[in-house]
Amino acid sequence: MPVTLRQLRYFKAVVEHGSFARAAEAVFVSQPALSLQVRELETNLGWPLFERDSHGVVLTTLGREIHEQALRVLDEALLLETKGKLFNKGPFNIALGIVSTLAPYLIPGLKEELSNLEDRIDIAVYEATSQQLLNRLLGGHIDAAIISLPIGMLELTERDLFEDPLLLAGSSSRLAAFRELSEDLKAENLAKSDLGPLLCLNEGHCLGDQVLGACSMGTMEGVHRSLESLGSVARLAGVDAGLTLIPETAVASERAASPGLHFLRLAKPEPKRRIGLVYRVAFHDQRWIEPLADCATRAGKRLIEQSAPLIG
C-alpha cells in the first residue's frame, strides 16, 4: 500500500510527543487507530521506525531519516493546501484570451480599469481567433476568454459584457454612393449596391462570417476575403479599395490610423456582435471573474462612446 499523508502526520506526532498515547491525544484519535497507521507505515517502508520500551519510543536510524523526509513532505502538502485558499483571495494572475479583432482596442482600457481595483488582477493576454482561444480554454492553457457569443458549449460558462455594433466603413465617396442607392441604409443592400468589393477577414475569423451574414452575401462574388487583420481591412477601405463593416470598438483607433476612413451607422436592427467573457464551468465561484467582467464591460462601452462623434 502507498504511504499516506495521514500516516506521516501520525508518525510526526509520535516523534514530537514521545509516546503513542500523547500523540493520539494531540491529533484527536484513539491510540489503537494511531498505532495502526504507524504500523502500516512501517510495513510499507519494510523496517521499524521506533524502538519501543517502557519509557516511550526512540527513533531508529531509518526513523530519523524518514522523520526528516516526512517534515519536508508535510510542509509541501501544507503549501499546496494554502495555495488553494490564497488563490481565491488575490492578487490574481490570469491568463486571458481576447479575440484578435478586439484585443488591440480593448487592452489599454481594460488594463487601466484593472489598475483601479482594490484586489489586484494581473492579466497575461493571448490574442487569437475565437476557435483558437476556445481550444486553449478547453485545454486549460488559459483561464478565460473575451470573444463573440454565443458559444453553446456545456463545459463553458458565458457572461455577456457589451454589444459591439458593426458600422459600414469606406471612403466618403463610397458611403455617399451607398446613401443614394439605399435610402433605408440596410446592410443587406450592400449585396445589391455594386459599389466595389466587400472587404472581409479570412476564414477562421468569426467577424468575417458575421460581416458576410449581415450583408446577406450568398456567394463569394464581389467579396475580397484574404486578410488576416482588422487593421488591414480598415486600411484598404480607407484608401477606397472597397467597403466593409467595422466594429464600433475599433472606430476611433482605425480612423486615427487611416484618415480617409469614414463610417456610417446602418438601419435598425443594425448588425452587431455580442462580446462576452467565457470560462470553464469549474471556475464559476472564482473571485476574479466578477471584477474582470465589470472592467471589460466598462472598457468596451467607453470605446463605443469615444467612437460616437466619428460616425455619420
Side-chain angles (χ1 to χ4, degrees):
M1 295 178 63
V3 172
T4 67
L5 290 177
R6 177 184 294 179
Q7 292 170 356
L8 295 180
R9 290 192 181 105
Y10 289 180
F11 166 65
K12 174 175 174 282
V14 174
V15 175
E16 291 176 349
H17 294 279
S19 79
F20 281 77
R22 289 192 295 271
E25 292 178 2
V27 296
F28 305 105
V29 297
S30 66
Q31 182 175 336
L34 181 138
S35 298
L36 176 62
Q37 291 294 322
V38 173
R39 281 199 302 272
E40 287 184 356
L41 176 61
E42 291 177 318
T43 300
N44 290 334
L45 298 175
W47 200 261
L49 300 177
F50 295 106
E51 295 177 5
R52 300 163 174 84
D53 59 29
S54 59
H55 301 291
V57 295
V58 177
L59 284 170
T60 63
T61 302
L62 176 63
R64 288 194 295 272
E65 294 182 10
I66 296 301
H67 181 234
E68 292 177 3
Q69 185 67 36
L71 292 178
R72 289 193 289 269
V73 171
L74 291 173
D75 284 345
E76 290 295 327
L78 180 60
L79 179 61
L80 288 175
E81 294 169 0
T82 304
K83 278 185 176 294
K85 295 173 183 176
L86 291 178
F87 178 77
N88 209 28
K89 292 182 180 179
F92 303 103
N93 296 297
I94 305 302
L96 177 66
I98 305 179
V99 67
S100 57
T101 53
L102 177 62
Y105 318 108
L106 187 69
I107 288 172
L110 177 57
K111 293 283 284 185
E112 181 182 347
E113 290 287 343
L114 291 173
S115 69
N116 295 325
L117 293 177
E118 183 177 347
D119 292 329
R120 194 175 82 229
I121 298 178
D122 294 324
I123 55 172
V125 176
Y126 296 82
E127 178 183 341
T129 66
S130 290
Q131 189 56 58
Q132 289 169 335
L133 292 178
L134 287 173
N135 291 341
R136 282 178 171 268
L137 187 57
L138 292 170
H141 302 295
I142 58 176
D143 301 308
I146 297 177
I147 57 179
S148 292
L149 302 181
I151 301 302
M153 301 181 69
L154 294 177
E155 306 95 320
L156 301 176
T157 297
E158 303 174 17
R159 179 192 175 114
D160 279 280
L161 299 178
F162 57 89
E163 290 186 336
D164 194 6
L166 303 181
L167 307 171
L168 185 62
S171 66
S172 57
S173 59
R174 284 187 194 259
L175 293 184
F178 182 71
R179 280 184 182 274
E180 293 179 4
L181 292 172
S182 177
E183 293 182 0
D184 56 8
L185 300 181
K186 290 185 177 179
E188 57 262 30
N189 290 338
L190 279 170
K192 312 169 190 174
S193 67
D194 195 27
L195 291 175
L198 178 67
L199 306 172
C200 199
L201 287 170
N202 208 343
E203 294 182 11
H205 293 273
C206 60
L207 180 59
D209 297 331
Q210 290 165 345
V211 169
L212 291 178
C215 298
S216 301
M217 303 299 287
T219 68
M220 295 303 292
E221 185 178 352
V223 175
H224 182 82
R225 192 174 190 184
S226 60
L227 301 169
E228 289 294 339
S229 77
L230 186 56
S232 297
V233 172
R235 302 300 186 282
L236 283 173
V239 296
D240 202 28
L243 291 170
T244 190
L245 297 186
I246 296 287
E248 194 162 353
T249 49
V251 164
S253 291
E254 296 304 339
R255 176 61 181 276
S258 185
L261 187 64
H262 296 268
F263 306 93
L264 181 63
R265 193 175 296 281
L266 296 164
K268 295 182 179 181
E270 63 183 330
K272 61 184 66 176
R273 60 179 180 175
R274 286 171 53 208
I275 300 298
L277 181 69
V278 182
Y279 49 91
R280 293 187 293 280
V281 171
F283 278 16
H284 74 280
D285 58 350
Q286 295 293 313
R287 284 184 55 240
W288 53 266
I289 291 174
E290 190 79 19
L292 176 61
D294 290 344
C295 287
T297 297
R298 288 194 294 271
K301 289 182 176 179
R302 188 163 66 247
L303 282 173
I304 292 172
E305 290 171 0
Q306 293 168 351
S307 299
L310 303 174
I311 302 168

